[in-house]
Amino acid sequence: WALDEFVEGRVRGFVGRTRITDELVELAASPATEGADWGACVTAEAGAGKSSLFGHLQRLLREREVLVLSHAAGISVRSTQVDLMLRRWVGELATALGEANSLGDTAPPDEIDRAFARLLGRASSQRRVVVLIDALNQFEPTTRATHLTWLPRLWPPNSRLVATAISGTAATALLQRPGVIDARLSPIDRDEALDIVSGICARYHRTLSPVVE
């Protein structure tokens, strides 16, 4: 519920970002061939619109025949915990596979990591799976979170990963993985800024003074 609320707030009035959106959607739908790129790290400074892009991508991909696993770190206290994110995904993957979630309440981190990797591999053998993560840099300050040691060593060929982050340790750790591209998010241009402001004005039945434009 918190994630859906977060996405709804970020995509309201979303405009622009056509080029990077097309690139990321193309990556998400790219053929499962050997040696193909499987991930992207969207980097930019705070306030550049990474979360809005994350929400926009989630909506676009959920309209396709893919299984989307999404998470936004920092939207609540619990959202910064890798264990809880993976437990939720393990449950969603088990449901998609039509089986019971066998992960116990007291399962240690390494068991959770293995369960996620195993189910991700099995689910992606049946359909395309896309993992979306917003704000890698806002996870708990542990080695597991900042260095992304929870990621499967061998990423399944029929799954894709798109994550956003401020440049730092987590982003560097992801970009060091072979097959992950650096998708830098450029600042919005003047036309996009005007479209955003116009959308806000329209929402509240106001007009923007030409002097301000």
Side-chain angles (χ1 to χ4, degrees), residues 83 86-87 103-115 144:
D83 272 5
L86 293 180
R87 282 182 174 278
L103 196 61
D105 293 339
T106 59
D110 58 343
E111 184 178 335
I112 296 173
D113 294 350
R114 288 195 298 270
R144 184 161 171 248

Side-chain angles (χ1 to χ4, degrees), residues 38-39 69 82 85-86 89-90 93 109-124 129 131 133 144 147-161 173-174 176-180:
W38 56 268
L69 304 177
V82 172
M85 173 186 73
L86 293 180
W89 286 350
V90 165
L93 289 167
D110 58 343
E111 184 178 335
I112 296 173
D113 294 350
R114 288 195 298 270
F116 170 65
R118 182 177 65 256
L119 291 174
L120 178 63
R122 290 178 55 195
S124 63
V129 180
V131 177
I133 306 175
R144 184 161 171 248
H147 293 280
L148 279 67
T149 59
W150 57 269
L151 278 177
R153 290 184 179 276
L154 296 177
W155 192 260
N158 197 38
S159 58
R160 297 291 181 265
L161 168 69
L174 181 56
Q176 286 176 343
R177 293 286 190 104
V180 177

Side-chain angles (χ1 to χ4, degrees), residues 63-122:
E63 294 174 355
R64 297 175 171 237
E65 292 298 318
V66 300
L67 173 60
V68 179
L69 304 177
S70 61
H71 185 79
I75 62 174
S76 68
V77 175
R78 293 165 59 87
S79 69
T80 63
Q81 299 178 43
V82 172
D83 272 5
L84 295 182
M85 173 186 73
L86 293 180
R87 282 182 174 278
R88 179 164 58 84
W89 286 350
V90 165
E92 292 178 14
L93 289 167
T95 298
L97 290 165
E99 60 184 57
N101 182 356
S102 60
L103 196 61
D105 293 339
T106 59
D110 58 343
E111 184 178 335
I112 296 173
D113 294 350
R114 288 195 298 270
F116 170 65
R118 182 177 65 256
L119 291 174
L120 178 63
R122 290 178 55 195

Side-chain angles (χ1 to χ4, degrees), residues 26-39 121 123-130 155-160:
E26 183 179 353
L27 172 68
S30 60
T33 56
E34 184 177 353
D37 291 332
W38 56 268
S124 63
S125 69
Q126 300 180 10
R127 61 191 292 197
R128 173 55 58 93
V129 180
V130 181
W155 192 260
N158 197 38
S159 58
R160 297 291 181 265

Side-chain angles (χ1 to χ4, degrees), residues 21-33:
T21 297
D22 290 345
E23 289 178 358
L24 295 174
V25 170
E26 183 179 353
L27 172 68
S30 60
T33 56

